[in-house]
Amino acid sequence: MSEERGRRGKALGTDPGPGPAPESAPAPREPDGTITRRGALKVIAAGAALGATVPGCSPGESGGGAAGADAAHTELSGFNPLPPSNPLAAGTPTDPDMLAPIVPWEMVLTDEEMHYVAALADVIIPADDRSPAASAVGVPDYVNEFVSAPAHTEQLTQLRGGLAWLNRTARDRFGAADFPALTTAQQHEICDEIRFEPDAADHLKPQARFFDAFRDMCSTGFWTTEEGMRDLGYMGNVPLPSFDGPPPEVLEQLGLAGEDLV
Amino acid sequence: MRQSPEYDAIVVGSGAGGGIAAFILATSGLRVLLLEAGRHYDPLRETPMFQLPKDAPLRGAGGSDKPFGFYDATVDGGWQVPGEPYSVADGSEFMWWRSRMLGGRTNHWGRISLRMGEYDFKPRSRDGLGFDWPMSYDDLAPYYDKTELLIGVYGSNEGLENTPNSSPGVLQPPPKPRGYELLTRKACRRMGIPVIPAHLAIMTQTQDPERLPGDLFPDNELARRVTADSMRGRAACYWATPCGRGCSIRANFQSTTVLLPPALATGNLDIRTDAMVREVTVDAQGRATGVHYIDRTTLLDEFAGARVVVLAASACESARILLNSTSGLFPDGLANSSGLVGRYLMDTVGAGVYSHIPALQALPPHNEDGSSAMHMYMPWWLYGEQLAGRLDFPRGYHIEFGGGRRMPGFGAFGGLEPLTGGTYGQQFKDDCRRYYGSFLFFDGRGEMIPNEDCYCEIDPDKVDRYGIPVLKFHWKWADHELNQALHMQRTFAEIVDEMGGQLLSTVASSGADAISKGGQIIHEVGGAMMGDNPRTSVLNQYCQSWDVPNLFVTDGAPFVSNADKNPTLSIMAIAWRASDYIVEQLGQRSIG
Ligand SMILES: Cc1cc2nc3c(=O)[nH]c(=O)nc-3n(C[C@H](O)[C@H](O)[C@H](O)COP(=O)(O)OP(=O)(O)OC[C@H]3O[C@@H](n4cnc5c(N)ncnc54)[C@H](O)[C@@H]3O)c2cc1C
Ligand code: SF4
């Protein structure tokens, strides 16, 4: 992502970039009444909140987010934690409650489809000694959320077509009931044919594109979980009293030992 | 008999330019009404500081509703505002970013705060292109100092050509560089490209409430008091949470955390949100009397009167209001006797690359969040080459770069196939771990020269949901910009090469393929240019209309050129200077 957030396409590895939009219905919510957006306000009343040196919400409430961050936030900044939801937000797609986000559309995948999704997700991201498998941290639910978004009907069709092909191939080639019923080696044999579009046979190109899209979904779904971030060694999103630059072992590995840090 | 209006001044728009105007006018003892089209917005209660992508729909992905991501501090905005369309002429491409919230785009802007230099005020004198400003760097320098002191800007004084130093004690210390910034600096040093601390409106330390207010307002007790209180209520950056979401601890600059609270504390300011201004009204003598606005909650047309009207609705929107303010006296729109309202619109030239830097792979885990923004950048460095005629474009660009070990979000490790050959399973997991943190982007931000083909006008065929005629944009880059964009990409490719990395994006073969669309860099300025001649400019150097002396424009519209330096710091410095002038003129009763 650009320093000036988001003026570019997909950024590898990090940060949300511009992506497809859910053209979802608004999720209306009641204004809490303390400050209403109705009426052409003289925000003099609101000025009490705006002008206050410390936000007027009760301590101890959690704004969600990283565990432990709230305490450090308060200690380092002198500000109270944020309230658990935002009374000022309209709750529409262009003004959602960012403190208490909701997914405002219905999930469309069936139990059977979720079973297939979980199996393939675990082929792509299996458990190892550093982190669990995709299905253990909710990746199938994320896949469901993604393909169920009203703007993603094409992705839903692609997913269903891909799952159907996997099951059909499992039956034709190995006589199995479906893809999840295969051994890992058998699953790999099938996936190897569609793992990379340039290498895939011409008649399998659409399946390779499905596999690519599915891997992207798994990757986003997995690495954004706490388990995924911990696995990567992402150590941020924690308030710190100072920023000290890279530690010596990092400078060492970069060939920058002794480099001027100013 | 003219009735004395309720307010001394009406300010339209609460972003960078309007925030400064409201703050200076209110702290100077004037009664001010601030009209803002968007909803009330309170960063102290609304900012999703530590919320994880995982807790947002689609892992926080951007979409048409929230183009820069779910948690971006943009309300009812983006490239489209619901119910407020704009038109783009056939053959033109233009993108207009707006938001509808108190504080406008200052809630989520990138906080990059670079001063224009002495060359930047006199570009025509240097190379014969564009226009000179009716003021010099020295005229604005004290206001840059004041603005930086007030809002809090980190950076350093390097004394480089056309990259001005701030006065001693003005800047806050820059943060320590990150690993990838040091690695880039090392490669760039070999290439003769300077990599220096960036200037960002982010506080690395708290402000001294005993000293700074006195430095800023030696003769104004009220301003000192409210500024000191405001400074006491701002924390220093605690090196976590992306600034683009806003900052609930008031460590970075937002109009809503830095300007409006002390302005309200004077008791002289009323803010009316959900107030969409459509027209400035005039009396028989051609003096501004106030504005008409639509109350968004009732859809009723309202009027507010004042001795002075200050437009700061953002460059294009202020031009729109002027063009829509037609009357018998001003049939072509207000302040438009020159015919230049809406003309000479400018944006920034943008082009970039993505890259993979193997040296950054598999680093020991460490926290690189820092200020969430750049700690270092590259100012334009080829002044000599340009002067010697060795470049095929006339003006400069700076480089913004970043990447590293950021919090994974939507799209994490998507599109890795060219590097991995489509791995999955254990190998894919290991690949992601290895590649994490090893991707860098380089973005050029360059100067565009104003031209006849870039302008906005009223579209006679379309109105918005308030019945207000909308803007139609015309846009055409000239070779100056196209060549510059190509130069950017080629230079970044060389940097990546020097770092031993590989490009993951292509270097375009033509400038048209490399360059951003008009408006896409969101530095749109111009449309009511200042000058020293009423026939060839809309405003004087104090942002005052030549035609209507009690009408001012203090956003990006008065810009005469658009240096590579991101515009907002300059918008605020110019707005401050104009506001001082308004106070002085009202005091002398020469206007209003
Ligand atoms: C993602 C992003 C990153 C950016 N990064 C940087 C950066 O790093 N550095 C930099 O210098 N600049 C940056 N910018 C640009 C910066 O945001 C603008 O230059 C700056 O906010 C302009 O200030 P303004 O006061 O002119 O307009 P705004 O901040 O847009 O404020 C205008 C206000 O007027 C209101 N308004 C509009 N029309 C009306 C009307 N008819 N009646 C009443 N009110 C109205 C709007 O709702 C808004 O609140 C960035 C912008 C974006 C979107
Ligand atoms: S990085 Fe610092 S200034 Fe920016 S939002 Fe986080 S705490 Fe605030």
PDB file of all heavy atoms in Angstrom, chain B residues 131-142:
ATOM      1  N   PHE B 131       2.577  29.444 -14.175  1.00  0.00           N
ATOM      2  CA  PHE B 131       2.432  30.790 -13.623  1.00  0.00           C
ATOM      3  C   PHE B 131       3.269  30.947 -12.363  1.00  0.00           C
ATOM      4  O   PHE B 131       3.509  29.972 -11.659  1.00  0.00           O
ATOM      5  CB  PHE B 131       0.964  31.059 -13.254  1.00  0.00           C
ATOM      6  CG  PHE B 131      -0.004  30.733 -14.348  1.00  0.00           C
ATOM      7  CD1 PHE B 131      -0.702  29.533 -14.332  1.00  0.00           C
ATOM      8  CD2 PHE B 131      -0.206  31.617 -15.401  1.00  0.00           C
ATOM      9  CE1 PHE B 131      -1.596  29.216 -15.354  1.00  0.00           C
ATOM     10  CE2 PHE B 131      -1.099  31.315 -16.427  1.00  0.00           C
ATOM     11  CZ  PHE B 131      -1.798  30.096 -16.400  1.00  0.00           C
ATOM     12  N   ASP B 132       3.666  32.172 -12.090  1.00  0.00           N
ATOM     13  CA  ASP B 132       4.289  32.489 -10.803  1.00  0.00           C
ATOM     14  C   ASP B 132       3.208  32.800  -9.774  1.00  0.00           C
ATOM     15  O   ASP B 132       2.132  33.298 -10.109  1.00  0.00           O
ATOM     16  CB  ASP B 132       5.196  33.719 -10.935  1.00  0.00           C
ATOM     17  CG  ASP B 132       6.512  33.401 -11.631  1.00  0.00           C
ATOM     18  OD1 ASP B 132       6.835  32.197 -11.782  1.00  0.00           O
ATOM     19  OD2 ASP B 132       7.202  34.359 -12.038  1.00  0.00           O
ATOM     20  N   TRP B 133       3.506  32.518  -8.533  1.00  0.00           N
ATOM     21  CA  TRP B 133       2.601  32.899  -7.443  1.00  0.00           C
ATOM     22  C   TRP B 133       2.767  34.388  -7.145  1.00  0.00           C
ATOM     23  O   TRP B 133       3.863  34.944  -7.352  1.00  0.00           O
ATOM     24  CB  TRP B 133       2.939  32.116  -6.175  1.00  0.00           C
ATOM     25  CG  TRP B 133       2.589  30.654  -6.222  1.00  0.00           C
ATOM     26  CD1 TRP B 133       3.169  29.700  -7.007  1.00  0.00           C
ATOM     27  CD2 TRP B 133       1.588  29.993  -5.443  1.00  0.00           C
ATOM     28  NE1 TRP B 133       2.591  28.476  -6.761  1.00  0.00           N
ATOM     29  CE2 TRP B 133       1.627  28.624  -5.805  1.00  0.00           C
ATOM     30  CE3 TRP B 133       0.678  30.407  -4.474  1.00  0.00           C
ATOM     31  CZ2 TRP B 133       0.768  27.679  -5.227  1.00  0.00           C
ATOM     32  CZ3 TRP B 133      -0.157  29.473  -3.896  1.00  0.00           C
ATOM     33  CH2 TRP B 133      -0.126  28.125  -4.277  1.00  0.00           C
ATOM     34  N   PRO B 134       1.709  35.017  -6.639  1.00  0.00           N
ATOM     35  CA  PRO B 134       1.844  36.432  -6.260  1.00  0.00           C
ATOM     36  C   PRO B 134       2.533  36.602  -4.909  1.00  0.00           C
ATOM     37  O   PRO B 134       2.532  37.688  -4.350  1.00  0.00           O
ATOM     38  CB  PRO B 134       0.389  36.914  -6.209  1.00  0.00           C
ATOM     39  CG  PRO B 134      -0.390  35.689  -5.860  1.00  0.00           C
ATOM     40  CD  PRO B 134       0.333  34.522  -6.474  1.00  0.00           C
ATOM     41  N   MET B 135       3.061  35.541  -4.357  1.00  0.00           N
ATOM     42  CA  MET B 135       3.838  35.634  -3.118  1.00  0.00           C
ATOM     43  C   MET B 135       5.091  34.784  -3.283  1.00  0.00           C
ATOM     44  O   MET B 135       5.203  33.983  -4.218  1.00  0.00           O
ATOM     45  CB  MET B 135       3.024  35.149  -1.922  1.00  0.00           C
ATOM     46  CG  MET B 135       2.626  33.691  -1.991  1.00  0.00           C
ATOM     47  SD  MET B 135       1.951  33.130  -0.422  1.00  0.00           S
ATOM     48  CE  MET B 135       0.251  32.855  -0.830  1.00  0.00           C
ATOM     49  N   SER B 136       6.011  34.978  -2.363  1.00  0.00           N
ATOM     50  CA  SER B 136       7.261  34.231  -2.441  1.00  0.00           C
ATOM     51  C   SER B 136       7.336  33.258  -1.265  1.00  0.00           C
ATOM     52  O   SER B 136       6.517  33.319  -0.336  1.00  0.00           O
ATOM     53  CB  SER B 136       8.447  35.198  -2.375  1.00  0.00           C
ATOM     54  OG  SER B 136       8.484  35.773  -1.081  1.00  0.00           O
ATOM     55  N   TYR B 137       8.336  32.416  -1.296  1.00  0.00           N
ATOM     56  CA  TYR B 137       8.527  31.500  -0.173  1.00  0.00           C
ATOM     57  C   TYR B 137       8.661  32.276   1.138  1.00  0.00           C
ATOM     58  O   TYR B 137       8.081  31.890   2.164  1.00  0.00           O
ATOM     59  CB  TYR B 137       9.758  30.595  -0.384  1.00  0.00           C
ATOM     60  CG  TYR B 137      10.012  29.753   0.838  1.00  0.00           C
ATOM     61  CD1 TYR B 137       9.167  28.684   1.141  1.00  0.00           C
ATOM     62  CD2 TYR B 137      11.037  30.051   1.726  1.00  0.00           C
ATOM     63  CE1 TYR B 137       9.349  27.935   2.292  1.00  0.00           C
ATOM     64  CE2 TYR B 137      11.235  29.302   2.876  1.00  0.00           C
ATOM     65  CZ  TYR B 137      10.381  28.252   3.161  1.00  0.00           C
ATOM     66  OH  TYR B 137      10.556  27.524   4.307  1.00  0.00           O
ATOM     67  N   ASP B 138       9.391  33.385   1.098  1.00  0.00           N
ATOM     68  CA  ASP B 138       9.604  34.144   2.331  1.00  0.00           C
ATOM     69  C   ASP B 138       8.303  34.685   2.915  1.00  0.00           C
ATOM     70  O   ASP B 138       8.174  34.826   4.132  1.00  0.00           O
ATOM     71  CB  ASP B 138      10.579  35.300   2.081  1.00  0.00           C
ATOM     72  CG  ASP B 138      11.996  34.785   1.851  1.00  0.00           C
ATOM     73  OD1 ASP B 138      12.272  33.631   2.254  1.00  0.00           O
ATOM     74  OD2 ASP B 138      12.807  35.520   1.253  1.00  0.00           O
ATOM     75  N   ASP B 139       7.354  34.997   2.048  1.00  0.00           N
ATOM     76  CA  ASP B 139       6.058  35.461   2.554  1.00  0.00           C
ATOM     77  C   ASP B 139       5.354  34.362   3.347  1.00  0.00           C
ATOM     78  O   ASP B 139       4.655  34.633   4.323  1.00  0.00           O
ATOM     79  CB  ASP B 139       5.137  35.872   1.393  1.00  0.00           C
ATOM     80  CG  ASP B 139       5.641  37.121   0.678  1.00  0.00           C
ATOM     81  OD1 ASP B 139       6.167  38.012   1.363  1.00  0.00           O
ATOM     82  OD2 ASP B 139       5.505  37.180  -0.560  1.00  0.00           O
ATOM     83  N   LEU B 140       5.517  33.134   2.885  1.00  0.00           N
ATOM     84  CA  LEU B 140       4.767  32.044   3.508  1.00  0.00           C
ATOM     85  C   LEU B 140       5.545  31.342   4.625  1.00  0.00           C
ATOM     86  O   LEU B 140       4.952  30.685   5.482  1.00  0.00           O
ATOM     87  CB  LEU B 140       4.334  31.018   2.435  1.00  0.00           C
ATOM     88  CG  LEU B 140       3.102  30.177   2.805  1.00  0.00           C
ATOM     89  CD1 LEU B 140       1.888  31.059   3.096  1.00  0.00           C
ATOM     90  CD2 LEU B 140       2.777  29.170   1.703  1.00  0.00           C
ATOM     91  N   ALA B 141       6.860  31.495   4.618  1.00  0.00           N
ATOM     92  CA  ALA B 141       7.698  30.744   5.562  1.00  0.00           C
ATOM     93  C   ALA B 141       7.231  30.872   7.019  1.00  0.00           C
ATOM     94  O   ALA B 141       7.139  29.857   7.729  1.00  0.00           O
ATOM     95  CB  ALA B 141       9.159  31.146   5.417  1.00  0.00           C
ATOM     96  N   PRO B 142       6.903  32.085   7.495  1.00  0.00           N
ATOM     97  CA  PRO B 142       6.462  32.172   8.902  1.00  0.00           C
ATOM     98  C   PRO B 142       5.188  31.364   9.155  1.00  0.00           C
ATOM     99  O   PRO B 142       4.992  30.832  10.253  1.00  0.00           O
ATOM    100  CB  PRO B 142       6.184  33.662   9.114  1.00  0.00           C
ATOM    101  CG  PRO B 142       6.790  34.373   7.956  1.00  0.00           C
ATOM    102  CD  PRO B 142       6.950  33.388   6.836  1.00  0.00           C
TER     103      PRO B 142
END
